[in-house]
Amino acid sequence: MRVAVASFEFEGNTLSNQIHRREDFARKVLAEGAAMLRAVEGRDLAVAGGMEVLAAAGLEVVPLVAAQGGSGGRVQDGFYREIRDQIISAAVAAMPLAGVYLALHGAMITESENDPEGEILAAVRQVVGPAIPITASFDLHAHVTPRMVAAADALVGYETYPHIDAHNTGRRAAEILVGAIKGRIRPVMRLRRIDALLPVAGGATDDPDAPMAKLRRSARRAEQEGRVISASYFPVQPWLDIPDLGIAGLAVADGDAEAAAQVADEIVREMWDRRREFEIPNFAPQEAVRRALAHASPRVLISDAPDCVGGGAPGDAPAVLAALLEQATATPSAVLVVDAAAAAAAHQAGVGAALTTTIGASLDPRFHPPVAVGAVVESLHDGSFVYSGGVSAGTPGRMGPTAVLRVGELRIVVPTHATYEYGDEQYRAAGIVIRALRIAVLKNPMNFRTLLDHDTAWVMVAGPGPTTPSLDSIEWKVKRRPFWPCDDLPQPTYLGD
């Protein structure tokens, strides 16, 4: 009873100008065959959770390939095809198979393909035939397509945001696969989508009064009542300018297609009905810094939402840095801006040297010019760390050569490479303790919440960028209007599934 397992995870963003290649994946996770087991063993990843369940059920796990690239613009076509073909050829070589489990993101895009995960699932289905069960785990922000649903027996999404249940989601997807292989269940799946997008920052599940937390309870209730095996909600990665993007509900039932369809519709309708609850205040960089300085809390986190690396931005936007240089050099504060040239200049100058350079807009100059800085090189680092939680828990982070520049009480962390933010790992790798600061800037709209406590408040930045929280400010070129929130529609428009 052999089960093929692969992981190919990347979150795309059409508003980003970045192309991600082999080397970008290699800095995170890239391994094939038996090396895949070593690369993910003991880590809090979906693929690790799935393999644990399969092994515990007495099935033989056949590792194919693991490739995790985080987030960015598009994956280079050549590299995508290389990994796709590896998955397919390894699956062919592993036949006969009792099942297949894939750990995917669900919102990958490549230079020429807007639904690569649908293509992979369809290709795997062609290899194994119609009778062999296929399940996959997805990120909560997956763009789930009819092609994905047609090719798989069950798709299971994360429950949480910030994402803290990747490992458990892999287990859930694998448990359905085991049940199908052993004939205990007959999974049927239905998808319902509405032509609407929701602001990412309003999608927290850690606040019981937040709309997504209420939606989570509704989904779990449908499972607990026995109506479906699995219920997933997909508020979708909203920075994808593609035709059929929209929020989705998806359900898997045991042989009851009507029940699956009903629960999927209930989920996406509740998301639509609560759409206004997802909108939260945000401010231009200068105003955000002013509010942070005036706040009564001892510590304020500024969420630089338009430059979210975890959403596909390059992490090099200097707009908040410019505001801090103008207003807060006398305040203990820290900001991170990716700039390989500035980091290299600091390493060449050495600790203690005075350095005049420009910082930011080196990867994406469309939204803000670079900022001129005269600073002292306070410290130098190799930029290595290990993630303490979230979807990357236990995996290495590699910022590359990193410098800390100091202007008064303001510290500027300048890494060579952008890395996904979960907590304060990047700052700790640079020797900076957030609790000792008055202001710290995090380049994400959600994961900064893991750092909140009774002494810490937060302010969110608005403005242009690849991950702007203002979805109605985007110049949509492919996705057709009208759709929420760009248009105030009283009734939902369903996307054909």
Side-chain angles (χ1 to χ4, degrees):
M1 301 285 281
R2 295 157 59 82
V3 177
V5 177
S7 169
F8 193 8
E9 300 181 58
F10 182 84
E11 183 174 35
N13 181 326
T14 61
L15 307 185
S16 171
N17 66 351
Q18 306 301 297
I19 302 297
H20 281 242
R21 298 171 170 82
R22 164 177 280 274
E23 57 267 29
D24 299 304
F25 281 75
R27 282 196 298 272
K28 299 175 178 71
V29 176
L30 182 58
E32 61 180 291
M36 170 183 166
L37 298 176
R38 296 189 294 272
V40 304
E41 184 179 10
R43 295 178 176 174
D44 202 16
L45 306 173
V47 66
M51 289 194 295
E52 289 172 9
V53 167
L54 297 172
L59 302 171
E60 180 186 351
V61 174
V62 182
L64 307 182
V65 62
Q68 297 183 357
S71 304
R74 294 181 180 269
V75 176
Q76 182 189 45
D77 275 345
F79 177 72
Y80 160 70
R81 291 171 186 146
E82 175 188 338
I83 299 300
R84 177 200 63 191
D85 293 348
Q86 276 187 276
I87 292 172
I88 302 310
S89 61
V92 170
M95 293 290 287
L97 291 168
V100 179
Y101 162 59
L102 301 178
L104 306 171
H105 182 283
M108 184 192 303
I109 53 175
T110 79
E111 291 175 290
S112 63
E113 174 61 61
N114 286 337
D115 185 16
E117 289 131 322
E119 182 178 70
I120 290 170
L121 283 163
V124 170
R125 173 59 70 197
Q126 187 171 8
V127 168
V128 302
I132 301 302
I134 300 172
T135 67
S137 55
F138 277 3
D139 188 284
L140 179 145
H141 294 108
H143 166 50
V144 185
T145 67
R147 180 161 62 162
M148 296 174 183
V149 173
D153 293 88
L155 306 175
V156 181
Y158 296 169
E159 293 183 46
T160 61
Y161 192 40
H163 304 316
I164 59 173
D165 68 322
H167 187 272
N168 189 57
T169 302
R171 292 184 62 88
R172 290 164 56 215
E175 285 165 357
I176 294 174
L177 182 60
V178 170
I181 290 172
K182 298 194 173 184
R184 294 197 294 262
I185 59 173
R186 186 167 57 89
V188 294
M189 179 167 49
R190 292 294 182 269
L191 171 70
R192 291 288 275 163
R193 300 185 299 165
I194 288 175
D195 196 6
L197 305 178
L198 300 174
V200 168
T205 56
D206 57 352
D207 178 354
D209 295 324
M212 194 60 75
K214 296 173 183 175
L215 195 71
R216 181 186 183 186
R217 292 195 291 271
S218 296
R220 300 293 76 80
R221 186 162 53 247
E223 295 171 354
Q224 291 159 5
E225 292 171 352
R227 299 170 61 199
V228 293
I229 302 168
S230 172
S232 299
Y233 34 87
F234 296 101
V236 83
Q237 144 70 300
W239 303 294
L240 291 172
D241 189 9
I242 55 181
D244 60 342
L245 190 70
I247 59 176
L250 183 147
V252 183
D254 184 4
D256 190 341
E258 184 177 343
Q262 183 176 358
V263 171
D265 189 63
E266 290 172 4
I267 288 170
V268 76
R269 278 303 299 248
E270 182 173 349
M271 225 184 301
W272 166 264
D273 291 342
R274 297 187 182 280
R275 64 195 183 281
R276 297 182 189 277
E277 299 176 37
F278 285 82
E279 298 176 327
I280 61 176
N282 46 66
F283 308 94
Q286 293 285 352
E287 177 62 20
V289 171
R290 278 193 289 271
R291 286 175 176 265
L293 289 169
H295 207 285
S297 295
R299 188 179 312 104
V300 180
L301 305 182
I302 294 179
S303 166
D304 189 2
D307 193 33
C308 171
V309 172
D316 73 335
V320 178
L321 168 61
L324 288 169
L325 286 169
E326 183 176 318
Q327 302 182 53
T329 56
T331 301
S333 51
V335 61
L336 183 149
V337 182
V338 174
D339 194 310
H347 276 258
Q348 184 174 4
V351 174
L355 180 68
T356 299
T357 186
T358 60
I359 297 177
S362 59
L363 297 171
D364 192 343
R366 295 174 296 169
F367 303 105
H368 197 284
V371 174
V373 175
V376 173
V377 180
E378 182 172 85
S379 60
L380 300 170
H381 309 268
D382 68 4
S384 298
F385 61 91
V386 175
Y387 284 101
S388 60
V391 295
S392 297
T395 61
R398 299 184 179 95
M399 296 186 288
T402 299
V404 177
L405 307 183
R406 186 161 185 158
V407 181
E409 293 297 310
L410 168 64
R411 290 179 175 90
I412 309 166
V413 179
V414 187
T416 299
H417 305 297
T419 51
Y420 168 81
E421 285 185 345
Y422 175 70
D424 62 345
E425 290 94 341
Q426 285 88 343
Y427 281 124
R428 285 191 279 113
I432 294 174
V433 179
I434 281 184
R435 291 192 61 82
L437 301 176
R438 168 70 174 146
I439 296 174
V441 181
L442 285 304
K443 286 185 177 290
N444 68 79
M446 183 59 63
N447 289 349
F448 70 86
R449 293 172 184 264
T450 61
L451 304 171
L452 295 177
D453 56 31
H454 65 280
D455 288 329
T456 309
W458 62 277
V459 178
M460 180 161 290
V461 171
T467 55
T468 176
S470 305
L471 301 179
D472 56 355
S473 71
I474 295 171
E475 184 182 351
W476 298 95
K477 298 178 181 178
V478 178
K479 183 167 173 56
R480 294 182 179 178
R481 305 276 296 270
F483 65 90
W484 174 270
C486 295
D487 305 282
D488 191 8
L489 303 176
Q491 297 295 327
T493 299
Y494 282 87
L495 292 165
D497 298 315

